[in-house]
Every structure is written in C-alpha cells, then in structure tokens.
Amino acid sequence: MKSTLLFIFFYSICSSAFAQQVSLSGKVVDAGGKPVPFASVYIKNTSKGASANIEGDYSIKLQPGQYEVQYKAVGYKQESRTIDLKENTTFYITLTAEVYELKAVTINAKGEDPAYAIIRKAIKKRKAHLSEVKAYTCEVYIKGLQKLLAAPKKFMGADMNQIGRELGLDSNRRGIIYLSESESKLSYQYPNQLHEEMITSKFSGSNRMFSFNRATDAQVNFYENYQNWQGLSNRPLMSPVSDNALFYYRYKLMGTSTENGVVINKIKVTPRRGHDPCFDGYIYIVDDSWRIYALDLYITSRANINFADTIRINQQFMPVGKVWLQSSNRFDFTGGLLGFKLKGYFISVYKDYDLSPVFTKGQFNELLHIPPKVNKNDTAYWNKERPVPLTTEEKTDYQKKEKLAIKRESKTYLDSLDKATNKVTPAGILLTGTNVINRYQRSFYHFDPLISSVLFNTVEGVTLNYGATFRKRYDTVTNKSIGFGANLRYGFSSHLFNANFSADIPVGTFKLEMKAGSDVVDMNSNNPISPFFNSIYTLFMRENYQKLYQKEFTAATLSGRITGGWQVSASLEWAYRKWLPNTNTYSFFHPDGHEFTSNNPLVPSADVPLFPNNGSFKLNVRTTYDFSNKYETYPFGRRYLPSDYPTIGLTFTKGLYGVFGSDVDYDLLAADISKKDISMGVYGRTSFFIGAGKFLNANSVYFPDYKQFSGNQILFYKNDINSFLLLDYYNFSTYTEYVEGHLEHNFSGFITNKIPLIRKLKLQEIVDFNYLCTPELHNYYELGFGLQYLGFRVMYGTSFNTSSNVKNAVRIGVSF
C-alpha cells in the first residue's frame, strides 16, 4: 500500500512538472521580412535548443522561467533576447545580415590573401580539435524530406501516374515522397566510435515502417581530412582544413566580425581545379583558437558526384563547457536521373550534451539500435517534442498519408492491388515472368519467363528449362519466411527429362536448404558462362563453350552465423553422375574456322567420355571470419557490418568412398583471404583475393570434383573478385594443388579527370591483375585496363603463361 501511494505521489509530481511546460514559438525573419530558413534557437549556457523550419517558424518547450535566448543563422548577426516565460509565448525576431569588415589588408611577399595565414593555423590545430572531445552523449532530432519535382509518365513499362497516386502525389506526379522524423540518443567515444539508439520514429504514409534517418550518417566532421560519401561520390571529398587542403583549395578573406566576444573570420573557399572533389562556399574560423565556428559549403556535379546536381551542407556549432560541438547540421540536395527530378533536405538538431558519460562494455560494437515499438508514439507526442515545426505542406502530407496508411493495411485494399497486378499477360509469360501475389496472406508465386527458359546447347539441342517458386512470410516481426521451388528440364534432341525440387526454411538463426531430383549441370561448378550466352554463341557463332553432365542428387545445406564475424556452412550431397555426348550440331550460321567441339573439354575433337558413370557422396564445410564485431539491431533482427579487415576463409571437402555406393575418395583443403573496396583515399579503392588449396588425398577423383576456376572466353563476363578475363573454362582445372591471386584497383576518376569527354561522362578507370599457378597451367598472368560507369565496364585484357601464346581481348562486364 505504501509503495502504491509513493508511486501515485511521484506520478503526480512528474505529471505536474510536465504539465507546467510552456512553449516559446514564433518566426525568424530577415530585415526585409522574409523567413530565415533553419535558423538556430538556443538557450544560452545550455545545449537546449531548436531550429526554425524552412518557413522560419520555430517552437521550443521549456519550464516557466527567465531565459536568455540566442537566435543565429549562418550569414546573419546573432541576436539575444531575455524572455520571462510564464505561459505559451509567441516571439518574432528579426536577424540582420552580418557585416564582415575587411580591414586594411597586408599582402605578404608571396602575394597571398590573409586567409591563407588563418587557414594554415586552422590546419595546424586540426588534429587537436579532432581529438579534444574524448566522449559525449547527446540527443538528436532528425527530419528528412524528399520531394519529387518531375517524373515521366512511363518508366520501364510502369504507369507512373498510378504509382504517383499510390504515393500521394498530385496529378502531375509531383509532391513529397519521403517525410520522416526521428529522435535518437547518440554516444561518441574517440576515435570514431559511435552508438545510436533510436528512441522514436514517425514515417509519413506508414504505421509500421521506421525512419531511414540516421544520426550516425549525419555525423560529418570537417576536422577529418576527407569525407567518404559512398554512393554519392566515388572519391573522398577533401575538407577545406585537411592537411593537404592548400593543394586543392583557394581562399579569400571576406571580412571579420565579433560575436560573444570572439572574432570570426569569414573565408571563401573555391577548388583550385574545376573537377577536384572539393567544396565551394564559406567557412567561418574563430580567431586565436582557429576552430570552425560554422560553415556553409556546397558541391556540384562538376566534381563528379552521382545522382545529385548540388549538395549543400550547413553546420553550426555551440560552446559546451570548454569545447565546441555541433548544434545543427543540414543537408540540402537537388538532383535527377532518367527523367526524375527531386530535391530535399535532412536537418539534425543536437541537445543535452553530456561530456562525462559512462559507457557499458561492448556498447560501441552496436552501431545502431532500433527497438520494435519505435514507431508507436502518436501525433500528440510529436506536437510536444519536435524542435523543428512542421510546415503547412508537411502537416498536410502527414494527414493525407495517415488515411492512406490505414487504407493500405486493409484486406479490401490489398486484395484490390492483387487483382490489378496478378494478371497473366503475353509480355509476362514471354519476357518478365508471371507473379501471383497475396499481400494480405503475405505469399508470393513466381513463374519464369519463356525467354530465359528456352535454351540451346549441343548436348540437349533445344531445351526447355522452366521453374517456379513460392515464398510465404510467416513472421512479420523478424521477416522470417519459407520457400519452395520446382524446376523441369527437357532436351528435345537428347530426350532427357529432368526435374528437381527445393525448399529453404529457417532453423533458429540458421538457414536449411534442401534440394533433390535430377538436372543437367555445368562441369565447372562456378558456372562461368550463363546458359543464355552459351545459347547465343552456339546458334550464331557456332561455338559451344558450355560442357554439361547429368546428375541425380539429394543435397542439404545448413548455413548461418556462429557469432560476430564467424560464419559457417555445411553441406552433404549424394549424386549419381553421367557424362553426356553431343546430340545436335545445328547453328544459324557457319563462320569460317568455327566448328563445334565435343562435350569433353580435354579431348575437343572426339566425343569420348570424360569420366565413367559414378556415384558421389561428399561433405563440404566452409567457415569464414571477417573480424567484424560491428552490427545494427532492427526490429526484425541483427545485421552485421563489413569489417575494415580482410575475410579469411577455410574450406574442406571430403569424398566419402563406399557410402551409399559412392565411388569418390578425396580430400581437398583450401584457404583464402580477400577484401573488397579498400579505401586508398584520393587514389581510389582496391580489392584483392588470394587463394590456395591442395588435394591431400586424390585416390578417386572425377572431373566434376576437380578444383575449377572462374574463367572467361566470350565478350561478356561476370565481374567477381576471383574471376579471370581470358582463362579457359575447363582445361586448367586441377586435382593436385593451386595458388591464385586477384588484384583490382578503381582509380575513381584519378586519370579520366584529365580527359574532358570521359570526365563529363563520369567514367572511372579500372586496372586488374590476375595470377594462377597449377601443375597443368604452370604460371598464368592477366593484366586488364578498363573504364566503368555505374557498374557497367569495358575492359581490355592481355594474358600470357609459360606454356601458351599471349592472348588479347576486349570484355564487357557488369558489377553491382
């Protein structure tokens, strides 16, 4: 009873204190009465504050009392007002443009602008400012908005008017496509250790989705030498106060002003070269301490950024104790692609800094934590808590899309969508495949298109290889699902009919995949040439590169993560394998010097069996470790992030002789180490793969059991980290030992920026080097040079080894 009364007592006190909160709101305008967008509103000597919205409106919740309120924006003179806040108060404030006085300028012997001396001091203090804050926690509010300004009526066959109506756009396909707010607690520990816990989230148009806003993504620190904006720029962007900034930037002192007793230098920064990865704009440096006071910078497509035409970043800082930390951070962007044009912004407001936090062990292994009920707070909560008021447009979007969200979750609406999309059309049957979706039941059927199901090869002739899949999501919280598949294959020349069935189900944190039946498969287990391209080359060029065999099999694979960066998979397969002869020699054309080869890659002139019919029962275990202990936690589970270190892999394959009639008897042990996209700063990114293996026992090994390599002999190729440009698909497979190495470097515009046409197309240069050593091949080398744009690449490669002539070829590949 006493505890109940005590609870009621404290509850009453807390409720009363909460009820006593009052709001200070108003509008920030300039001398001409126009709104000052995103002006900062802070309480002096605290880290409590808010930001005006794009229309200049602001609102901040405070306990009744007397406050000194500071209003400031980059380019405007700070204004302070003492306000006695007893009730909800509206207060309008006018900011005047800051006057930066340019006093008598002394030009030194080098003829330099005075800004250079200031920047040199700022560069000298860069590391000190970067490391002066060892740890902090704070609360971060983020609002993100994206607006579609234009869109085509049709895109890849889709009706954009219909899609626009589903997104809540107007009849001209314009309007807000993303509006979301979030509140997070951000923890920081030097150097570069971040942990974010999202407290609450609001997403316009969905009652279930959580915000894509990330406080960790908004952390942009110009005391770092450069910024890595992956996806937006293929090159790191240089900071105006980086160690080598003087090589990249020109500076001009625009004047000085005094604010809160400190002298602020306004410096204009411009890139020395038009296409360097550099910013234009202004940076404000505090005299004596030489720290960044604020900045207003932008970068354009001239610097080879992707998708966006212009990205502008505006940062403001405030004193917290003896250091300065961000008070607000804003990104504005405009851009477009393929007929779509958009603009938007992300604004972050920081408050309640704690410079002496206590962290738990392992806290920074988790970069982001989003709890399951993060999106459950209602409109009343957000009206009280948000530090950036909504604009009229944003309020309308929330209201309109809240109704759409309720409608979208109803069975009637979902069934209507299914009725509209579940149509069997000739184009679907032939080109794209047919989908049958039940959104309410969360089930999905897919039937393959005929264009990719009709094949041709010299073993089977015209071949129908048709498949269908079914997937059912049974847990919406963790996104767990179960899937089934079936595939039928018939060769009209070989008269071989094959069918196989597959299933995959979650087993705790692991995944179990099972497959059984019969199939005609590639002798190279890497499937280096696709059946589609083999069909094209066979029919049009009279070159039958793919070599096939038949197997009847049963297989099961269990895979998953043990812990952290340690993953493992184990599979068992029993198979009965048959070599197959060619049965068809038809082609549309007969180019000079082109003749079909046999289905025996080692004896191309005669259709003699490559191996006898045999049974195979094998165990394969592979484990990898990438040293990753960083992860993100979502309502549906945990996602581990790539490590900064290479991934180490170990594979063991055992052929089990005599088990279920198995004829194979071998042991293959292999190891590899690899890493993709290693940043080399302004010099691009590097990827590498090194692998080695040895058959410890090869008492009974057939060709499908050999170690195979990802070669290429046609114009098109798959760009994998361990693939070759010119290597034969089969002839250099081994049953002894091997060593292979692959190195690829992407210069990201380092060279092509010198060539106007290529620079305009935003192409990137690729150089790769491949090496393979086997007893059959001896030492084989490849060197390739190429250009890439958005994953599409053209490579020129040359190869040579100790036992064959030099080969040269052009290759076209795709990399995503």
Side-chain angles (χ1 to χ4, degrees), residues 200-250:
T200 186
S201 166
K202 185 175 177 63
F203 193 99
S204 181
S206 176
N207 297 323
R208 297 186 180 184
M209 290 185 67
F210 49 82
S211 175
F212 295 117
N213 303 340
R214 301 288 185 271
T216 47
D217 290 343
Q219 287 293 104
V220 177
N221 191 336
F222 279 88
Y223 291 126
E224 299 280 1
N225 276 321
Y226 50 79
Q227 309 297 317
N228 276 314
W229 292 358
Q230 289 297 310
L232 289 173
S233 175
N234 297 311
R235 300 177 291 172
L237 307 177
M238 304 305 301
S239 166
V241 293
S242 64
D243 290 339
N244 55 352
L246 295 174
F247 175 77
Y248 287 95
Y249 285 99
R250 288 190 173 92

Short mmCIF file of all heavy atoms in Angstrom, two decimals, residues 200-250:
data_model
loop_
_atom_site.label_atom_id
_atom_site.label_comp_id
_atom_site.label_asym_id
_atom_site.label_seq_id
_atom_site.Cartn_x
_atom_site.Cartn_y
_atom_site.Cartn_z
N THR A 200 12.40 7.16 -30.94
CA THR A 200 11.08 7.16 -31.55
C THR A 200 11.20 7.57 -33.01
O THR A 200 12.18 8.20 -33.42
CB THR A 200 10.11 8.09 -30.80
OG1 THR A 200 8.81 7.95 -31.33
CG2 THR A 200 10.56 9.54 -30.89
N SER A 201 10.18 7.22 -33.79
CA SER A 201 10.23 7.45 -35.22
C SER A 201 8.83 7.70 -35.74
O SER A 201 7.86 7.10 -35.27
CB SER A 201 10.86 6.23 -35.92
OG SER A 201 10.65 6.26 -37.31
N LYS A 202 8.73 8.56 -36.72
CA LYS A 202 7.45 8.83 -37.39
C LYS A 202 7.70 8.83 -38.89
O LYS A 202 8.62 9.51 -39.37
CB LYS A 202 6.86 10.16 -36.94
CG LYS A 202 5.46 10.46 -37.51
CD LYS A 202 4.91 11.74 -36.91
CE LYS A 202 3.54 12.11 -37.48
NZ LYS A 202 2.51 11.09 -37.17
N PHE A 203 6.89 8.07 -39.61
CA PHE A 203 7.09 7.89 -41.05
C PHE A 203 5.79 8.21 -41.77
O PHE A 203 4.76 7.55 -41.54
CB PHE A 203 7.51 6.44 -41.34
CG PHE A 203 8.04 6.22 -42.73
CD1 PHE A 203 9.41 6.17 -42.96
CD2 PHE A 203 7.19 6.05 -43.80
CE1 PHE A 203 9.90 5.96 -44.23
CE2 PHE A 203 7.67 5.84 -45.08
CZ PHE A 203 9.03 5.79 -45.30
N SER A 204 5.79 9.21 -42.61
CA SER A 204 4.57 9.62 -43.32
C SER A 204 4.17 8.55 -44.33
O SER A 204 4.95 8.18 -45.21
CB SER A 204 4.79 10.95 -44.04
OG SER A 204 3.61 11.35 -44.70
N GLY A 205 2.96 8.03 -44.16
CA GLY A 205 2.43 7.06 -45.11
C GLY A 205 2.49 5.63 -44.64
O GLY A 205 2.05 4.72 -45.36
N SER A 206 3.03 5.39 -43.43
CA SER A 206 3.08 4.02 -42.93
C SER A 206 3.03 4.02 -41.41
O SER A 206 3.73 4.81 -40.76
CB SER A 206 4.35 3.31 -43.39
OG SER A 206 4.44 2.02 -42.82
N ASN A 207 2.22 3.15 -40.85
CA ASN A 207 2.14 2.99 -39.40
C ASN A 207 3.10 1.92 -38.89
O ASN A 207 3.17 1.68 -37.70
CB ASN A 207 0.71 2.64 -38.99
CG ASN A 207 -0.27 3.74 -39.33
OD1 ASN A 207 0.06 4.92 -39.22
ND2 ASN A 207 -1.47 3.37 -39.77
N ARG A 208 3.80 1.26 -39.81
CA ARG A 208 4.67 0.15 -39.42
C ARG A 208 6.14 0.42 -39.70
O ARG A 208 7.01 -0.10 -39.01
CB ARG A 208 4.25 -1.12 -40.16
CG ARG A 208 2.83 -1.59 -39.81
CD ARG A 208 2.53 -2.92 -40.45
NE ARG A 208 1.17 -3.37 -40.13
CZ ARG A 208 0.67 -4.54 -40.49
NH1 ARG A 208 1.41 -5.39 -41.18
NH2 ARG A 208 -0.57 -4.87 -40.16
N MET A 209 6.43 1.20 -40.72
CA MET A 209 7.82 1.44 -41.07
C MET A 209 8.49 2.36 -40.06
O MET A 209 7.83 3.17 -39.41
CB MET A 209 7.91 2.05 -42.47
CG MET A 209 7.56 1.10 -43.60
SD MET A 209 7.82 1.82 -45.23
CE MET A 209 9.60 1.99 -45.25
N PHE A 210 9.81 2.23 -39.95
CA PHE A 210 10.58 3.14 -39.12
C PHE A 210 11.46 4.01 -40.02
O PHE A 210 11.71 3.70 -41.18
CB PHE A 210 11.43 2.39 -38.09
CG PHE A 210 12.23 1.25 -38.67
CD1 PHE A 210 13.44 1.47 -39.29
CD2 PHE A 210 11.75 -0.04 -38.59
CE1 PHE A 210 14.17 0.44 -39.82
CE2 PHE A 210 12.47 -1.10 -39.13
CZ PHE A 210 13.69 -0.85 -39.74
N SER A 211 11.92 5.10 -39.45
CA SER A 211 12.61 6.12 -40.23
C SER A 211 13.94 5.62 -40.78
O SER A 211 14.63 4.80 -40.16
CB SER A 211 12.87 7.34 -39.33
OG SER A 211 13.63 8.29 -40.03
N PHE A 212 14.30 6.14 -41.96
CA PHE A 212 15.62 5.89 -42.52
C PHE A 212 16.62 6.92 -42.04
O PHE A 212 17.79 6.86 -42.41
CB PHE A 212 15.57 5.90 -44.05
CG PHE A 212 14.73 4.79 -44.63
CD1 PHE A 212 13.59 5.07 -45.37
CD2 PHE A 212 15.08 3.47 -44.44
CE1 PHE A 212 12.82 4.06 -45.90
CE2 PHE A 212 14.31 2.45 -44.96
CZ PHE A 212 13.18 2.74 -45.70
N ASN A 213 16.17 7.89 -41.24
CA ASN A 213 17.09 8.88 -40.70
C ASN A 213 18.10 8.20 -39.78
O ASN A 213 17.73 7.36 -38.96
CB ASN A 213 16.33 9.95 -39.91
CG ASN A 213 15.27 10.63 -40.74
OD1 ASN A 213 15.31 10.60 -41.95
ND2 ASN A 213 14.30 11.24 -40.07
N ARG A 214 19.34 8.60 -39.88
CA ARG A 214 20.38 8.04 -39.02
C ARG A 214 21.26 9.17 -38.50
O ARG A 214 21.88 9.90 -39.28
CB ARG A 214 21.26 7.04 -39.79
CG ARG A 214 20.50 5.87 -40.39
CD ARG A 214 20.05 4.90 -39.30
NE ARG A 214 19.42 3.73 -39.90
CZ ARG A 214 18.14 3.63 -40.19
NH1 ARG A 214 17.32 4.63 -39.91
NH2 ARG A 214 17.64 2.54 -40.73
N ALA A 215 21.35 9.28 -37.17
CA ALA A 215 22.25 10.28 -36.59
C ALA A 215 23.70 9.95 -36.92
O ALA A 215 24.53 10.84 -37.10
CB ALA A 215 22.05 10.34 -35.08
N THR A 216 24.00 8.65 -37.02
CA THR A 216 25.38 8.24 -37.34
C THR A 216 25.74 8.64 -38.76
O THR A 216 26.88 8.99 -39.06
CB THR A 216 25.55 6.73 -37.15
OG1 THR A 216 24.44 6.05 -37.77
CG2 THR A 216 25.57 6.37 -35.68
N ASP A 217 24.76 8.60 -39.68
CA ASP A 217 25.03 9.03 -41.06
C ASP A 217 25.21 10.54 -41.15
O ASP A 217 25.91 11.03 -42.04
CB ASP A 217 23.88 8.61 -41.98
CG ASP A 217 23.83 7.11 -42.19
OD1 ASP A 217 24.85 6.45 -41.90
OD2 ASP A 217 22.78 6.61 -42.62
N ALA A 218 24.55 11.29 -40.26
CA ALA A 218 24.62 12.75 -40.30
C ALA A 218 25.90 13.29 -39.67
O ALA A 218 26.14 14.50 -39.71
CB ALA A 218 23.41 13.35 -39.59
N GLN A 219 26.72 12.40 -39.08
CA GLN A 219 27.96 12.85 -38.45
C GLN A 219 28.99 13.19 -39.53
O GLN A 219 29.62 12.32 -40.11
CB GLN A 219 28.51 11.76 -37.53
CG GLN A 219 27.74 11.57 -36.25
CD GLN A 219 27.88 12.77 -35.34
OE1 GLN A 219 26.97 13.56 -35.23
NE2 GLN A 219 29.00 12.91 -34.69
N VAL A 220 29.12 14.45 -39.79
CA VAL A 220 30.10 14.94 -40.77
C VAL A 220 31.08 15.83 -40.03
O VAL A 220 30.68 16.86 -39.49
CB VAL A 220 29.42 15.70 -41.91
CG1 VAL A 220 30.46 16.26 -42.88
CG2 VAL A 220 28.44 14.80 -42.64
N ASN A 221 32.32 15.43 -39.99
CA ASN A 221 33.33 16.15 -39.21
C ASN A 221 34.41 16.65 -40.16
O ASN A 221 35.21 15.88 -40.68
CB ASN A 221 33.94 15.21 -38.16
CG ASN A 221 34.78 15.97 -37.15
OD1 ASN A 221 35.28 17.05 -37.43
ND2 ASN A 221 34.96 15.38 -35.98
N PHE A 222 34.43 17.96 -40.39
CA PHE A 222 35.39 18.53 -41.33
C PHE A 222 36.78 18.66 -40.73
O PHE A 222 37.69 19.14 -41.43
CB PHE A 222 34.87 19.87 -41.85
CG PHE A 222 33.88 19.72 -42.97
CD1 PHE A 222 32.53 19.59 -42.69
CD2 PHE A 222 34.30 19.67 -44.28
CE1 PHE A 222 31.60 19.43 -43.71
CE2 PHE A 222 33.39 19.51 -45.31
CZ PHE A 222 32.04 19.38 -45.03
N TYR A 223 36.97 18.27 -39.48
CA TYR A 223 38.33 18.13 -38.96
C TYR A 223 38.98 16.85 -39.49
O TYR A 223 40.21 16.70 -39.38
CB TYR A 223 38.32 18.13 -37.44
CG TYR A 223 37.96 19.47 -36.83
CD1 TYR A 223 36.92 19.58 -35.91
CD2 TYR A 223 38.66 20.63 -37.17
CE1 TYR A 223 36.58 20.81 -35.35
CE2 TYR A 223 38.32 21.85 -36.63
CZ TYR A 223 37.28 21.94 -35.72
OH TYR A 223 36.95 23.17 -35.18
N GLU A 224 38.18 15.92 -40.00
CA GLU A 224 38.75 14.78 -40.72
C GLU A 224 39.32 15.29 -42.04
O GLU A 224 38.80 16.23 -42.64
CB GLU A 224 37.68 13.72 -40.99
CG GLU A 224 37.03 13.13 -39.76
CD GLU A 224 37.89 12.05 -39.12
OE1 GLU A 224 39.00 11.79 -39.64
OE2 GLU A 224 37.46 11.49 -38.11
N ASN A 225 40.36 14.61 -42.54
CA ASN A 225 40.99 15.07 -43.77
C ASN A 225 40.03 15.04 -44.96
O ASN A 225 40.06 15.92 -45.81
CB ASN A 225 42.23 14.23 -44.09
CG ASN A 225 43.45 14.73 -43.34
OD1 ASN A 225 43.65 15.93 -43.19
ND2 ASN A 225 44.28 13.81 -42.87
N TYR A 226 39.21 14.01 -45.01
CA TYR A 226 38.24 13.93 -46.11
C TYR A 226 37.00 13.18 -45.67
O TYR A 226 36.99 12.48 -44.67
CB TYR A 226 38.85 13.29 -47.36
CG TYR A 226 39.58 11.99 -47.14
CD1 TYR A 226 38.89 10.79 -47.00
CD2 TYR A 226 40.98 11.95 -47.09
CE1 TYR A 226 39.56 9.60 -46.79
CE2 TYR A 226 41.65 10.76 -46.88
CZ TYR A 226 40.94 9.59 -46.74
OH TYR A 226 41.60 8.41 -46.54
N GLN A 227 35.93 13.35 -46.46
CA GLN A 227 34.64 12.74 -46.18
C GLN A 227 34.39 11.62 -47.20
O GLN A 227 34.54 11.84 -48.41
CB GLN A 227 33.52 13.77 -46.30
CG GLN A 227 33.75 15.04 -45.50
CD GLN A 227 33.82 14.76 -44.01
OE1 GLN A 227 33.03 13.99 -43.48
NE2 GLN A 227 34.77 15.39 -43.34
N ASN A 228 34.00 10.45 -46.72
CA ASN A 228 33.64 9.35 -47.61
C ASN A 228 32.13 9.28 -47.71
O ASN A 228 31.47 8.80 -46.80
CB ASN A 228 34.20 8.02 -47.08
CG ASN A 228 35.64 7.81 -47.49
OD1 ASN A 228 35.98 8.01 -48.65
ND2 ASN A 228 36.48 7.43 -46.54
N TRP A 229 31.59 9.77 -48.79
CA TRP A 229 30.15 9.74 -49.03
C TRP A 229 29.87 8.68 -50.08
O TRP A 229 29.66 8.98 -51.25
CB TRP A 229 29.65 11.11 -49.48
CG TRP A 229 29.72 12.16 -48.42
CD1 TRP A 229 30.14 12.00 -47.12
CD2 TRP A 229 29.36 13.54 -48.55
NE1 TRP A 229 30.07 13.19 -46.45
CE2 TRP A 229 29.58 14.15 -47.28
CE3 TRP A 229 28.87 14.31 -49.58
CZ2 TRP A 229 29.34 15.50 -47.04
CZ3 TRP A 229 28.63 15.66 -49.35
CH2 TRP A 229 28.86 16.25 -48.10
N GLN A 230 29.91 7.42 -49.65
CA GLN A 230 29.74 6.30 -50.57
C GLN A 230 28.39 6.38 -51.27
O GLN A 230 27.36 6.63 -50.65
CB GLN A 230 29.86 4.98 -49.82
CG GLN A 230 31.27 4.65 -49.36
CD GLN A 230 32.21 4.48 -50.54
OE1 GLN A 230 31.94 3.76 -51.48
NE2 GLN A 230 33.34 5.18 -50.49
N GLY A 231 28.38 6.14 -52.56
CA GLY A 231 27.16 6.20 -53.35
C GLY A 231 26.97 7.56 -54.00
O GLY A 231 26.56 7.65 -55.15
N LEU A 232 27.28 8.63 -53.24
CA LEU A 232 27.16 9.97 -53.80
C LEU A 232 28.43 10.39 -54.53
O LEU A 232 28.38 11.13 -55.51
CB LEU A 232 26.85 10.98 -52.71
CG LEU A 232 25.44 10.91 -52.12
CD1 LEU A 232 25.31 11.85 -50.94
CD2 LEU A 232 24.40 11.25 -53.18
N SER A 233 29.58 9.93 -54.03
CA SER A 233 30.84 10.28 -54.67
C SER A 233 31.75 9.07 -54.66
O SER A 233 31.90 8.40 -53.64
CB SER A 233 31.51 11.45 -53.93
OG SER A 233 32.79 11.72 -54.49
N ASN A 234 32.35 8.80 -55.81
CA ASN A 234 33.28 7.68 -55.90
C ASN A 234 34.64 8.03 -55.32
O ASN A 234 35.48 7.16 -55.13
CB ASN A 234 33.45 7.24 -57.36
CG ASN A 234 32.15 6.75 -57.95
OD1 ASN A 234 31.46 5.93 -57.36
ND2 ASN A 234 31.80 7.25 -59.12
N ARG A 235 34.85 9.30 -55.07
CA ARG A 235 36.11 9.76 -54.48
C ARG A 235 35.84 10.40 -53.13
O ARG A 235 34.77 10.99 -52.92
CB ARG A 235 36.78 10.78 -55.40
CG ARG A 235 37.12 10.27 -56.76
CD ARG A 235 37.71 11.38 -57.63
NE ARG A 235 36.73 12.39 -57.98
CZ ARG A 235 37.02 13.54 -58.60
NH1 ARG A 235 38.27 13.83 -58.88
NH2 ARG A 235 36.06 14.40 -58.90
N PRO A 236 36.78 10.33 -52.20
CA PRO A 236 36.60 11.06 -50.94
C PRO A 236 36.64 12.56 -51.20
O PRO A 236 37.37 13.04 -52.08
CB PRO A 236 37.80 10.60 -50.09
CG PRO A 236 38.80 10.12 -51.07
CD PRO A 236 38.05 9.57 -52.23
N LEU A 237 35.83 13.31 -50.45
CA LEU A 237 35.73 14.75 -50.62
C LEU A 237 36.67 15.44 -49.64
O LEU A 237 36.65 15.16 -48.44
CB LEU A 237 34.29 15.20 -50.39
CG LEU A 237 33.23 14.46 -51.23
CD1 LEU A 237 31.83 14.96 -50.87
CD2 LEU A 237 33.50 14.64 -52.71
N MET A 238 37.47 16.35 -50.13
CA MET A 238 38.51 16.96 -49.33
C MET A 238 37.94 18.07 -48.44
O MET A 238 37.14 18.89 -48.87
CB MET A 238 39.59 17.56 -50.23
CG MET A 238 40.20 16.56 -51.20
SD MET A 238 40.87 15.09 -50.40
CE MET A 238 42.08 15.80 -49.31
N SER A 239 38.37 18.08 -47.18
CA SER A 239 37.97 19.13 -46.25
C SER A 239 38.79 20.39 -46.53
O SER A 239 39.98 20.31 -46.85
CB SER A 239 38.21 18.68 -44.82
OG SER A 239 38.13 19.77 -43.93
N PRO A 240 38.19 21.58 -46.37
CA PRO A 240 38.95 22.83 -46.55
C PRO A 240 40.04 23.05 -45.51
O PRO A 240 40.85 23.97 -45.67
CB PRO A 240 37.87 23.92 -46.45
CG PRO A 240 36.59 23.23 -46.74
CD PRO A 240 36.75 21.85 -46.20
N VAL A 241 40.06 22.24 -44.42
CA VAL A 241 41.13 22.37 -43.44
C VAL A 241 41.91 21.05 -43.31
O VAL A 241 42.51 20.77 -42.28
CB VAL A 241 40.59 22.80 -42.06
CG1 VAL A 241 40.04 24.21 -42.13
CG2 VAL A 241 39.53 21.83 -41.53
N SER A 242 41.89 20.23 -44.36
CA SER A 242 42.67 18.99 -44.34
C SER A 242 44.16 19.31 -44.43
O SER A 242 44.57 20.42 -44.78
CB SER A 242 42.25 18.09 -45.50
OG SER A 242 42.56 18.69 -46.73
N ASP A 243 44.98 18.31 -44.14
CA ASP A 243 46.43 18.52 -44.13
C ASP A 243 46.96 19.02 -45.47
O ASP A 243 47.90 19.80 -45.51
CB ASP A 243 47.14 17.23 -43.74
CG ASP A 243 46.93 16.88 -42.27
OD1 ASP A 243 46.59 17.80 -41.50
OD2 ASP A 243 47.09 15.70 -41.91
N ASN A 244 46.37 18.54 -46.57
CA ASN A 244 46.84 18.97 -47.89
C ASN A 244 45.81 19.85 -48.60
O ASN A 244 45.74 19.87 -49.83
CB ASN A 244 47.19 17.76 -48.75
CG ASN A 244 46.04 16.78 -48.88
OD1 ASN A 244 45.01 16.92 -48.20
ND2 ASN A 244 46.19 15.79 -49.74
N ALA A 245 45.01 20.58 -47.81
CA ALA A 245 43.95 21.41 -48.39
C ALA A 245 44.50 22.50 -49.30
O ALA A 245 43.85 22.88 -50.28
CB ALA A 245 43.11 22.04 -47.27
N LEU A 246 45.70 23.01 -49.01
CA LEU A 246 46.26 24.10 -49.82
C LEU A 246 46.53 23.65 -51.25
O LEU A 246 46.61 24.48 -52.16
CB LEU A 246 47.53 24.63 -49.18
CG LEU A 246 47.34 25.31 -47.81
CD1 LEU A 246 48.68 25.66 -47.20
CD2 LEU A 246 46.48 26.55 -47.96
N PHE A 247 46.67 22.35 -51.46
CA PHE A 247 46.86 21.82 -52.81
C PHE A 247 45.55 21.83 -53.58
O PHE A 247 45.54 21.93 -54.81
CB PHE A 247 47.43 20.40 -52.73
CG PHE A 247 47.56 19.73 -54.06
CD1 PHE A 247 48.60 20.05 -54.92
CD2 PHE A 247 46.64 18.77 -54.47
CE1 PHE A 247 48.72 19.42 -56.16
CE2 PHE A 247 46.75 18.14 -55.69
CZ PHE A 247 47.79 18.46 -56.54
N TYR A 248 44.42 21.76 -52.86
CA TYR A 248 43.12 21.62 -53.50
C TYR A 248 42.29 22.91 -53.53
O TYR A 248 41.40 23.05 -54.36
CB TYR A 248 42.31 20.54 -52.77
CG TYR A 248 42.80 19.14 -53.05
CD1 TYR A 248 43.69 18.51 -52.18
CD2 TYR A 248 42.38 18.45 -54.17
CE1 TYR A 248 44.14 17.22 -52.44
CE2 TYR A 248 42.82 17.16 -54.43
CZ TYR A 248 43.71 16.56 -53.56
OH TYR A 248 44.16 15.29 -53.82
N TYR A 249 42.54 23.84 -52.59
CA TYR A 249 41.65 24.99 -52.44
C TYR A 249 42.38 26.32 -52.62
O TYR A 249 43.58 26.44 -52.35
CB TYR A 249 41.02 24.99 -51.05
CG TYR A 249 39.93 23.96 -50.84
CD1 TYR A 249 40.20 22.75 -50.22
CD2 TYR A 249 38.63 24.20 -51.28
CE1 TYR A 249 39.20 21.80 -50.01
CE2 TYR A 249 37.62 23.26 -51.08
CZ TYR A 249 37.92 22.07 -50.45
OH TYR A 249 36.93 21.15 -50.24
N ARG A 250 41.57 27.31 -53.04
CA ARG A 250 41.97 28.71 -52.94
C ARG A 250 41.11 29.37 -51.86
O ARG A 250 39.95 28.99 -51.67
CB ARG A 250 41.76 29.43 -54.26
CG ARG A 250 42.77 29.03 -55.34
CD ARG A 250 42.66 29.96 -56.56
NE ARG A 250 43.71 29.68 -57.52
CZ ARG A 250 43.60 28.83 -58.54
NH1 ARG A 250 42.46 28.18 -58.72
NH2 ARG A 250 44.61 28.62 -59.36
#
